[in-house]
Amino acid sequence: MSLTLPRLLRRPRPTLRLRLTLVYSVLFLLAGLALLAVTYLLFDQQLKAIFERQYVSEPGKHKELFITRNGVTLSGEAALEWLREQQAGVHDAAVASLVVQGALALLLVGGLAVGLGWLLAGRVLAPLNLVTETARRIAAAPMAERGLSERIALRGPDDEVKDLADTFDTMVERLDRSFEGQRRFVANASHELRTPLTLNRALVELAMHRRTASPDVKELGESLLEINARHERLISGLLLLARSEQEPADRSPVDLADVVAHVIEQNAGAAEAAGVALQEVTGPAPTTGDALLLERLVHNLVENGVRYNVSDGTGWVRVESRTASRETVEVEVSNTGPNVPPYDVPLLFKPFHRLGDERPVTGTSAGLGLSIVRSVAVAHGGDVRARPREGGGLVVVVSLPRAR
């Protein structure tokens, strides 16, 4: 409420189209008023000039002037005075007619000018609106690099607006190449690193199983195999992270309740060995997506819940699937465990960040579990939120679009 109230109280800002229309209309009305004033002055001067030129400019001409009006004949100065009165009446009537009718005509044409200005402003700003809509679609994409395939491709005259659109397309194209190169590098590097790790494991196992291998060599081999296994998990995690950041090409119907039941069955042995009880609450949660990636999402959450738990045999992990609304389904994983500071929760979704004092070399976690969870959720059009659980542990909720 505190975030939306200022937006509600904030006055709507005028659009550029409205401001251009207002400026154009004001300038047109000012020009029309100036034209009307100049016309009035020219008409008034011309009317006076005609009278002066005919009756006043030639001395003695008005003495020969005779006018009969209603049986009364006027001559000389009297006739000239009567003509002046008539000229004044005609002048006032003409001026009133000019001002009133000119003002009405100005208002009518001004109204047409406002409408025409609105249409012209919309047509001129249409390319800018296209740039804005494209930028909004890119910004609204689930991930920063997901909408970089958008292009404006503006057609039209080679002017400043087209230069802006072309520059925007060039910038987006470079960003797209940069993100694509980064994903390709991670995938290629992970693939290339698998071969030497496999070779290392084979050599270590060969040295350990020799008849002449001493206990020290076997102990060293076990440590090396453990480190090698961790490196293999790290590379597999990097491959999965690179894959999960791409939107699934083929989507199929998936019920998260089935995924939860399958993952619980897979992790039952590891949870029992760690002294952690698994609690399953499955409700219908239909969605669409890559079933293997969604299974990995739930698996990582359950695995983290088991790994980061209490060690006194009273720990538990609760996994629930449900339909949250007409638009979303959710998977919630909560567990007992150490207290997690609220400020540390966002860091858990960053790659290679581990909870507590687990060391990068000796720890069993590669630090990619929740990063993969977030990438898979975002790639499927959903999101992830987490909060510390009262009494210790964490509550993680994954929201995904509901299958229609």
Side-chain angles (χ1 to χ4, degrees), residues 332-375:
E332 179 180 305
V333 179
S334 56
N335 67 297
T336 54
N339 291 318
V340 181
Y343 56 82
D344 201 26
V345 171
L347 299 177
L348 298 178
F349 292 93
K350 294 184 178 297
F352 307 111
H353 184 85
R354 298 167 180 81
L355 183 64
D357 299 327
E358 187 178 6
R359 303 299 300 170
V361 176
T362 60
T364 58
S365 171
L368 295 173
L370 291 182
S371 301
I372 295 174
V373 169
R374 178 183 176 276
S375 297

Side-chain angles (χ1 to χ4, degrees), residues 37-52:
V38 171
T39 304
Y40 165 76
L41 292 176
L42 293 177
F43 174 77
D44 182 63
Q45 291 179 0
Q46 188 67 18
L47 195 61
K48 290 181 179 179
I50 291 174
F51 179 80
E52 294 291 338

